[in-house]
Structure formats: structure tokens, C-alpha cells
Amino acid sequence: MGATADFQYEGGTENISSVAHCMIRLRFAVKDLNKADQEALKKIPGVLSVTPAA
């Protein structure tokens, strides 16, 4: 099993300012949250939640 590097749901690669991971999370920092399709991200198999930072 592998990951794809499409990033369309995050608003494209130009909208990603950083990516970090820990044991159970993959965290994307996006420049414009409005460009990220949070509903589409939630529908990806294996994604348990999408939580914007406060």
C-alpha cells in the first residue's frame, strides 16, 4: 500500500506550507484553509478525522 502525492484536496502543492507526521497523524499546514476540501479529505479511506487548527 502506498500514498499518492496528488494534494488536490489540500488546495494543491502551492497551498501547503508544511507537512509533519507523528505516530498516528499526518499534519498539513495550509496557507488558505478555504482552498482545502475538508469533506473530500474525510472520505479518503483511512482518514479518521480532519481538524482545522484553532
Side-chain angles (χ1 to χ4, degrees), residues 24-43:
I24 59 171
R25 291 183 180 94
L26 181 59
R27 295 182 176 149
F28 287 88
V30 295
K31 297 173 185 173
D32 184 350
L33 187 58
N34 294 318
K35 291 183 180 179
D37 188 344
Q38 295 178 52
E39 292 307 312
L41 287 166
K42 291 175 185 177
K43 293 177 182 175

Side-chain angles (χ1 to χ4, degrees), residues 10 12-19 28-32:
E10 293 87 351
T13 56
E14 65 280 351
N15 195 41
I16 297 172
S17 58
S18 68
V19 178
F28 287 88
V30 295
K31 297 173 185 173
D32 184 350

